[in-house]
């Protein structure tokens, strides 16, 4: 029993160290928000296919990538097309991404993958960057919790 507790503590510490390294390596401002996504596998290391998978959602999104969760383990270096529906914009953008890491979560019931955006249209990256900046500004300036659509109406970015 004592060995299990020690093993679990070591595993938790290793996961914490991994998270710290990942945060330090990040290049762009992040937004911790769940967004619905649908992915299409464009290439798989083992077997090229054109398979569509509905993933549950993306989290921790930036202009350079996102973390996704779903019920399929994606191999590292798999090329994906991601249709990402931005929650507060009610707009879908399409991006291409490459799986950088994957891991099982919750005893293998679902999986998380880190995806780096590659060959994504500039327009999609700009929409995503503006959205992230807008939501982060909203969170910083809105301690009272005003609905986002009201906040956005009166706080449009100056061009």
């Amino acid at each position: 029993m004592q060995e299990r507790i020690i093993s679990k503590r070591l595993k938790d510490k290793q996961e914490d160290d991994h998270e710290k390294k990942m945060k330090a390596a990040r290049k762009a401002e992040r937004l911790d928000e769940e967004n619905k996504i649908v992915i299409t596998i464009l290439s798989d290391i083992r077997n090229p296919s054109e398979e569509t998978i509905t993933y549950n959602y993306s989290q921790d999104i930036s202009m350079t990538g996102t973390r996704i969760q779903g019920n399929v383990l994606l191999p590292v270096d798999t090329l994906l097309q991601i249709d990402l529906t931005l929650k507060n914009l009610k707009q879908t953008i399409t991006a291409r991404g490459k799986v950088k890491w994957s891991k099982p979560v919750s005893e293998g019931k679902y999986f998380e993958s880190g995806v780096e955006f590659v060959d994504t249209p500039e327009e999609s990256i700009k929409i995503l960057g503006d959205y992230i900046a807008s939501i982060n500004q909203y969170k910083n300036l809105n301690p009272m919790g005003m609905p986002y659509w009201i906040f956005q109406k009166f706080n449009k970015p100056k061009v």
Side-chain angles (χ1 to χ4, degrees), residues 74-80 97-102 113-116:
L74 297 170
V76 172
D77 291 333
T78 301
L79 189 60
L80 310 171
K98 189 175 196 177
V99 177
K100 300 308 262 183
W101 57 265
S102 289
S113 297
V115 178
E116 177 182 23

Side-chain angles (χ1 to χ4, degrees), residues 33 35 86-91 131 135 148 152:
E33 175 182 88
N35 293 290
L86 299 172
K87 185 172 162 176
N88 289 300
L89 274 186
K90 308 230 185 308
Q91 179 178 2
Y131 177 73
I135 295 293
Y148 178 75
Q152 184 183 30

